[in-house]
Amino acid sequence: MKRIALVYFDAGGGHRNATVALEAAIRQSNLPWEIQLVNLQEILDPIDFIRRYTGLRMQDVYNRMLQNGWTLGSTQLMRVLQGVIRIYHRKTVRLLERYWQGLRPDLVASLVPHFNRDLCESVRDACPGKPFVTILTDIADYPPHFWIERQEQFLICGSERAVEQARGLGHANERIFRTSGMILNPRFYNYSPIDRAAERTKVGLDGTRMTGLVLFGGQGARKKMLEIDRRLSQSGLEIQLILICGKNERLLGELRAQARPIPRLVEGFTTNMPYYMQLADFFIGKPGPGSIAEALSMGLPVIVEKNAWTLPQERYNTVWVREKEVGLVVRNFATVVDAVAQLLEPETFAQFRCNAKKMRNRALFEIPDILSGILSESNN
């Protein structure tokens, strides 16, 4: 029985979601593996400098930033964080080495950024000959060294751009694996089709109106969602909205308290996103790789934002959206009304929707086979 360690943390939620989804796919594939989910934050708690000075874990500070929209200057903050990680490199490696010596994994797969140098070095020293794999959960490595380091390891990339970046840092082709997209929750492959008009009516929406789904990740983004709701509700466009607030209870209460002239469905945290996306025609939100991948898997064109507040690791995603012609990128959501009007022009909407439906993302089922091949090669 091979022991596979999947490394994640809870900053933003996307890393944990991808890890749990991959664990489920591996179990479904009946591979003879013991899966160990490894929360990197818990291992690094003894040297978490942010926790030492604020009482909050590094991942909790990040989640509060997302929830409150405190992302201006995140590029500079990331440079500082990367510098601190370099300073703590030896301490981090030593903590990880002790952990791997106790766990004794046959393969370690990282689904987190920033720490892949530390992780790779610790696996090499504590578990000689055991493969280390980085599975990018972003469309590309941006900014540089966010995901990809110049070191001996394997890389699983969800875009051609990420593959090119890996080659540019000297990684050999046989150590780079290209998947057809980002990791999606198994629910996006196993949902039951619905009667959209009937289901919309059941939840209080108009059965025939064009419907936008507004989502800003698991933490919500209070100011932006309130602005989008206000502007679109007062726009005069023949649309309606589904607003998913995630774990942001304050936002949920504020949106539900608002009386609006258009039909709206306001929900909190949900594990049934495919259902709500089936009710919708288009997506509005931040350019997170998970949200974009989920929307496109359901055939929804997207409207996303790129400006100084956009997280640096999500900025390339807006370039990708334009290149693939699957939606619109706005400078800020003050122009969301014009963007929705443009998106819903019949010819534009048909083109974007067609391009979205062409996406055939099977990464969730491709990765277990890739990991199996890497394991087999390392045992020869």
Side-chain angles (χ1 to χ4, degrees):
M1 178 78 69
K2 298 293 185 181
R3 180 172 294 163
I4 310 300
L6 303 180
V7 183
Y8 73 97
F9 52 29
D10 279 324
H15 305 289
R16 172 188 272 276
N17 293 341
T19 304
V20 172
L22 181 56
E23 178 195 25
I26 291 172
R27 295 192 188 283
Q28 186 178 355
S29 66
N30 294 317
L31 288 163
W33 298 348
E34 175 191 342
I35 307 300
Q36 182 76 35
L37 301 189
V38 179
N39 187 334
L40 184 61
Q41 176 70 63
E42 293 178 355
I43 299 174
L44 300 185
D45 270 345
I47 58 171
D48 186 340
F49 65 96
I50 293 179
R51 186 181 188 186
R52 183 182 305 166
Y53 293 109
T54 69
L56 294 172
R57 286 171 149 187
M58 186 186 308
Q59 65 186 26
D60 297 330
V61 171
Y62 180 80
N63 290 335
R64 287 197 182 188
M65 286 172 54
L66 295 183
Q67 194 172 58
N68 292 285
W70 300 333
T71 54
L72 183 64
S74 54
T75 300
Q76 291 74 23
L77 182 61
M78 181 178 289
R79 292 194 186 107
V80 171
L81 177 60
Q82 288 180 325
V84 172
I85 289 171
R86 285 194 292 271
I87 292 170
Y88 279 79
H89 174 69
R90 285 309 312 158
K91 291 182 178 180
T92 301
V93 170
R94 284 197 294 270
L95 281 175
L96 288 167
E97 284 175 354
R98 287 198 290 271
Y99 185 83
W100 302 135
Q101 286 163 357
L103 185 63
R104 299 179 64 82
D106 294 286
L107 179 147
V108 176
S110 164
L111 291 90
V112 301
H114 288 308
F115 292 93
N116 287 297
R117 178 184 168 218
D118 313 73
L119 285 162
C120 184
E121 187 172 321
S122 67
V123 171
R124 183 194 66 205
D125 294 345
C127 311
K130 303 303 181 183
F132 173 70
V133 186
T134 296
I135 304 171
L136 279 71
T137 62
D138 281 298
I139 296 174
D141 185 33
Y142 186 86
H145 302 288
F146 188 62
W147 283 100
I148 304 174
E149 301 285 355
R150 195 186 299 273
Q151 58 194 12
E152 188 173 341
Q153 66 158 110
F154 297 91
L155 291 153
I156 298 178
C157 306
S159 73
E160 190 55 41
R161 174 60 177 157
V163 170
E164 292 170 358
Q165 290 174 314
R167 289 173 181 154
L169 280 176
H171 291 276
N173 287 333
E174 60 269 20
R175 288 179 169 261
I176 306 169
F177 298 88
R178 168 80 154 90
T179 63
S180 54
M182 299 289 100
I183 295 175
L184 294 174
N185 190 287
R187 294 187 187 92
F188 284 88
Y189 301 97
N190 300 323
Y191 61 88
S192 300
I194 62 171
D195 181 330
R196 284 211 306 167
E199 288 296 319
R200 284 176 176 175
T201 302
K202 186 185 296 184
V203 297
L205 297 174
D206 185 306
T208 59
R209 277 197 187 204
M210 295 295 283
T211 305
L213 185 143
V214 184
L215 170 68
F216 281 79
Q219 302 300 321
R222 177 176 165 271
K223 290 182 180 179
K224 289 184 179 182
M225 288 190 67
L226 289 172
E227 177 186 19
I228 291 167
D229 175 55
R230 175 178 58 81
R231 290 183 181 277
L232 289 177
S233 294
Q234 299 171 357
S235 67
L237 295 173
E238 285 294 314
I239 62 170
Q240 58 192 354
L241 297 176
I242 300 169
L243 300 121
I244 307 293
C245 303
K247 299 176 182 178
N248 197 323
E249 294 293 332
R250 179 184 178 187
L251 173 62
L252 178 67
E254 288 178 311
L255 285 173
R256 284 183 171 172
Q258 296 289 340
R260 296 300 190 194
I262 65 171
R264 294 151 71 245
L265 174 63
V266 182
E267 293 290 341
F269 179 77
T270 178
T271 59
N272 197 15
M273 193 57 66
Y275 171 75
Y276 293 101
M277 286 192 169
Q278 283 186 90
L279 297 177
D281 296 292
F282 59 95
F283 169 90
I284 302 173
K286 77 185 188 78
S291 297
I292 291 174
E294 290 174 358
L296 297 181
S297 77
M298 304 298 291
L300 305 185
V302 303
I303 298 175
V304 294
E305 180 187 54
K306 180 185 179 182
N307 55 37
W309 279 263
T310 304
L311 293 170
Q313 67 268 29
E314 295 182 350
R315 291 178 185 176
Y316 173 77
N317 302 346
T318 63
V319 176
W320 186 88
V321 164
R322 285 192 175 115
E323 288 177 348
K324 300 299 181 182
E325 297 184 339
V326 291
L328 299 174
V329 178
V330 298
R331 182 171 178 79
N332 59 66
F333 285 114
T335 62
V336 69
V337 173
D338 291 339
V340 170
Q342 180 184 347
L343 181 76
L344 296 184
E345 291 175 2
E347 186 174 335
T348 301
F349 184 77
Q351 178 187 359
F352 286 164
R353 189 168 177 83
C354 178
N355 291 341
K357 287 186 172 183
K358 286 179 183 176
M359 302 284 178
R360 292 290 183 268
N361 182 356
R362 304 288 295 175
L364 179 65
F365 308 108
E366 296 161 356
I367 292 174
D369 289 339
I370 293 171
L371 295 179
S372 182
I374 292 171
L375 260 180
S376 297
E377 180 183 328
S378 68
N379 291 330
N380 291 336

